[in-house]
Amino acid sequence: MAKVIAPFKIVGTLDDLVFYIDQEKENRVKTKGKTGVSSEEFKRNPIFNKVKNHSKEFGRCTKKAQSFRFVAHHFNNRAKDGSFAGRSNRLMLDVMNEDETSVHGERTVEIGMQTNDAKEYFIGFEGNKLRTLKKVLNAKWHWNEETSEFSIDKFLPKKNIDWPKEAEFLHIAIARANWNYIDNNFSTEYSEELIFEKEEEESNLVIKTNIPKGNHLQLTFLFIGFSLQYRKKLKELKRINNTVSIIWSK
C-alpha cells in the first residue's frame, strides 16, 4: 500500500486503485485485490471437488424429485404448502444416501432405492406440512394392499376430522401408484371421491381403487379435502386447508 500526500483526504475507487483512511488516520491507496474464483480454477483445483460432487448429486435428486411430485399430481395440486418441492428434494437426497456402494459424486437414487430402508422413507411424506394426516384425521384406519382398500370402521365426520372453520363438506379419496423411478414414469389409479357433510351420521367408510400395472415402487396416497356450498356448486377450500399423505409403500 502507499501513502497519499495531499492537502485533502481521498476515499473511494479510481480504476484499479482504492483510496481509504487507515486506523492511524493516514490516507492510503492500494490496488484492488482479486475476488471470486475463475471457472478454470474451479475446474482444476481439487479443493472444489466436494462442492462439485455435491452439485452433481443434488442435480440428479432434483430431477428425480420432479418426477416423484407428479406421481399423484391430482392430489398434490390440491393439498400442498410452500415447502413441498424442497421437501421432495430432501426425500430424494435421503434415498440417495442409502447408496453406499458408489463414491461421492456418483451416488444415485436408483441404487439407494434398492434398500428396504429407502422405501420406508416415503411413508408419512406430506404434501401439506401444515395439515398433516395426524392433525386432520383422528380415527384408526386400515389399508389392505391385497384388495387395495382403505377403510375406517364407525366413521363419524364431525368427531374424527379436524374441520377448517368455514368448511361444510369433507372429501376423501385414495390413489395407488406404481412409480418407475428408473425411467421417471408412473401409472396412478385414483378412487372415487367420497363426500360427507359435517353432521353426517356414523358409517363404515370404505374406499377402493384399482392396482396399477408395474412392479416398481408402489405408493398409496390418502387425500382429505374440504369445501363449502357456493350457490348450486361445491367450492373447494384453498389447498393450505387440505391434506395428502403417503400411507403405504412397497
Side-chain angles (χ1 to χ4, degrees), residues 143 145 148 175-177 187-189 209-212 218-220 248:
W143 164 251
E145 64 178 274
S148 200
R176 183 165 176 173
S187 175
T188 305
E189 298 283 349
T209 189
N210 296 326
I211 300 176
Q218 296 279 324
L219 298 168
T220 298
W248 174 79

Side-chain angles (χ1 to χ4, degrees), residues 69 80-90 125-130:
R69 294 198 301 272
K80 65 180 177 180
D81 68 323
S83 68
F84 176 58
R87 288 186 292 105
S88 299
N89 293 341
R90 178 70 259 178
F125 182 82
E126 304 281 354
N128 181 7
K129 195 68 174 177
L130 303 177

Side-chain angles (χ1 to χ4, degrees), residues 186-234:
F186 56 88
S187 175
T188 305
E189 298 283 349
Y190 290 91
S191 73
E192 175 188 2
E193 189 166 301
L194 301 185
I195 302 176
F196 298 87
E197 293 187 46
K198 189 173 185 178
E199 302 295 336
E200 200 154 326
E201 295 181 356
E202 182 179 277
S203 63
N204 291 329
L205 182 152
V206 179
I207 309 174
K208 185 174 182 178
T209 189
N210 296 326
I211 300 176
K213 295 180 180 180
N215 58 353
H216 300 89
L217 181 65
Q218 296 279 324
L219 298 168
T220 298
F221 299 79
L222 173 63
F223 170 78
I224 300 176
F226 300 90
S227 65
L228 52 79
Q229 187 77 41
Y230 180 72
R231 296 178 181 173
K232 295 183 179 181
K233 296 182 179 180
L234 295 185

